[in-house]
Amino acid sequence: MRYRSPRAPVRGKGARPPDSAFCKSMAKWFKIGVALGGGGARGLAHLGVLCALERAKIPIDLMAGTSMGALVGAAYALTPRCDFVAEKFRRYLESKEFQKTNPDFLREPDQEEKPTFKGIFHRFATFIKKGVFYTQSLTRKAPISEEDFIQNINFLLDPVNMETTEIPLVAVALDLKTGEEVVLREGALQKAVSASCAIPGILPPVIMGDRYLVDGGWINRVPVGPLRKMGADLAIAVDVAEGINESLDFDTGLDIVLRTYDITQSSLSQLQLREADIVIRPSLAGIRWSDFHRFEECLKAGEEAAGERLDEIRSFTRRKKIKKALSFRGCLSASRS
């Protein structure tokens, strides 16, 4: 049920002074939102950030996620308990569901006999260097089917609609047909997260009506804008993307093309992040997007990064609450009496 704002006190003869109930309801109007960006395995650090906020008793009223941020955000929005969600991810990363999503072209000769914990994403990162991925991309949409990926999503997310999550959540995707950013806020949660996570070339587009949706990170890596439109008064952004590596060599035309793309994406992301009040960047040096076996390191990095910003978050919250309270005549003075 949507929240309806209380009627403001009427000035003039017969008007009643604002009471404590009104002031308490006004407090609900102040909402803290968290925007979680894409980044593959590095996005596991999002959970560490959420854990730190939870332990510090900083409420999370709204969430927006892109790609891995949408997956972590959805798991937490369903059950906002850090210990529960962290254990669910641990079980998932050790599960058969995670391991079996392994297309033939990504298997090494002895992998069936010697499965590795790193899973599909590590194998993809290895084989892309050998050019196998490019060959496959010429003949098929993606090595992993939508059905197989949803089976993985099922391990982490319940089959519910987005409107039922305990914390309101939106997921961001890109429409391949129109080139538009699509903000998903209703309908099947699993499908919305699948669309936001559909990495082009690895996972097929997710079809919703006449839209062909892929990973939202290609258009909005950290969805602060959608978070603001949800009504966030304080916007906390978590950016886990890898920075620009200045030590790379540019030996081929492909190296140069990929480099220019990285620069474009980084510049766009920096512009979008200006909408945030606070940007948290966990220290994830040496952790690649495929390093899902480094869950505990990512979790700790997120906790530490958020822990260092708690005082700043509290300070921002106090200032913004005061500013908003002043817009409601009499409420602030009544709360002090």
Side-chain angles (χ1 to χ4, degrees):
M1 185 174 67
R2 293 187 178 276
Y3 175 76
R4 293 185 179 180
S5 59
R7 185 173 297 172
V10 181
R11 295 182 64 191
K13 187 176 180 179
R16 292 184 302 172
D19 56 20
S20 59
F22 173 73
C23 292
K24 286 179 181 178
S25 63
M26 188 281 293
K28 294 181 182 178
W29 295 2
F30 187 88
K31 297 187 182 297
I32 298 176
V34 180
L36 308 176
R42 294 165 64 92
L44 296 170
H46 291 315
L47 184 54
V49 172
L50 298 174
C51 288
L53 296 178
E54 179 184 317
R55 290 167 187 151
K57 300 189 184 305
I58 293 174
I60 300 173
D61 302 300
L62 305 166
M63 300 180 75
T66 292
S67 195
M68 191 64 183
L71 179 58
V72 174
Y76 191 83
L78 277 171
T79 310
R81 286 197 357 249
C82 170
D83 55 347
F84 176 84
V85 178
E87 186 56 33
K88 181 174 275 193
F89 268 92
R90 289 187 185 99
R91 292 199 310 270
Y92 167 65
L93 293 173
E94 294 174 347
S95 70
K96 292 180 180 178
E97 283 78 4
F98 180 72
Q99 295 296 331
K100 73 180 181 181
T101 313
N102 181 17
D104 291 336
F105 86 93
L106 293 180
R107 288 196 183 112
E108 294 186 48
D110 62 344
Q111 275 187 322
E112 290 185 346
E113 293 74 31
K114 298 179 181 180
T116 67
F117 175 73
K118 296 180 182 180
I120 174 64
F121 296 97
H122 175 74
R123 289 190 282 274
F124 171 77
T126 300
F127 275 78
I128 193 171
K129 297 175 183 177
K130 298 180 180 179
V132 179
F133 169 71
Y134 300 107
T135 303
Q136 291 288 326
S137 296
L138 295 174
T139 58
R140 53 200 294 194
K141 280 187 179 179
I144 304 174
S145 69
E146 181 182 350
E147 292 74 19
D148 286 342
F149 187 63
I150 287 180
Q151 286 181 5
N152 279 251
I153 295 288
N154 289 349
F155 195 101
L156 294 167
L157 304 179
D158 297 331
V160 299
N161 283 345
M162 297 187 75
E163 305 92 313
T164 66
T165 58
E166 191 164 333
I167 299 174
L169 167 81
V170 299
V172 174
L174 168 65
D175 186 344
L176 280 179
K177 283 188 173 181
T178 65
E180 296 174 333
E181 174 183 297
V182 178
V183 180
L184 303 167
R185 52 175 54 88
E186 59 185 15
L189 179 65
Q190 293 173 344
K191 191 158 189 175
V193 172
S194 295
S196 186
C197 292
I199 305 171
I202 301 180
L203 295 162
V206 174
I207 300 173
M208 289 189 180
D210 60 349
R211 294 187 181 276
Y212 283 68
L213 303 180
V214 296
D215 192 322
W218 294 78
I219 194 167
N220 196 341
R221 196 163 68 189
V222 187
V224 183
L227 186 69
R228 288 291 193 193
K229 290 179 181 177
M230 293 176 76
D233 297 291
L234 178 71
I236 301 170
V238 187
D239 184 11
V240 297
E242 296 184 63
I244 299 295
N245 186 350
E246 297 182 8
S247 64
L248 291 178
D249 294 323
F250 310 114
D251 297 326
T252 68
L254 180 60
D255 291 335
I256 296 171
V257 169
L258 293 176
R259 176 63 165 193
T260 55
Y261 166 76
D262 287 342
I263 293 171
T264 301
Q265 284 292 96
S266 178
S267 298
L268 175 61
S269 180
Q270 295 311 308
L271 286 173
Q272 293 167 335
L273 284 169
R274 290 180 183 177
E275 292 189 67
D277 296 299
I278 294 171
V279 180
I280 297 174
R281 292 185 173 91
S283 178
L284 298 165
I287 298 178
R288 306 291 294 180
W289 71 279
S290 58
D291 289 341
F292 282 85
H293 61 293
R294 301 176 71 174
F295 172 74
E296 300 299 338
E297 293 175 66
C298 292
L299 187 68
K300 183 178 179 182
E303 290 176 341
E304 291 177 348
E308 293 171 357
R309 308 294 294 278
L310 292 177
D311 288 342
E312 185 181 357
I313 292 171
R314 293 188 181 104
S315 176
F316 257 100
T317 301
R318 283 193 296 270
R319 295 202 303 271
K320 282 182 167 279
K321 277 187 174 180
I322 290 172
K323 183 177 180 181
K324 190 160 189 177
L326 288 172
S327 67
F328 297 90
R329 293 177 181 176
C331 186
L332 186 61
S333 59
S335 66
R336 288 175 175 172
S337 61

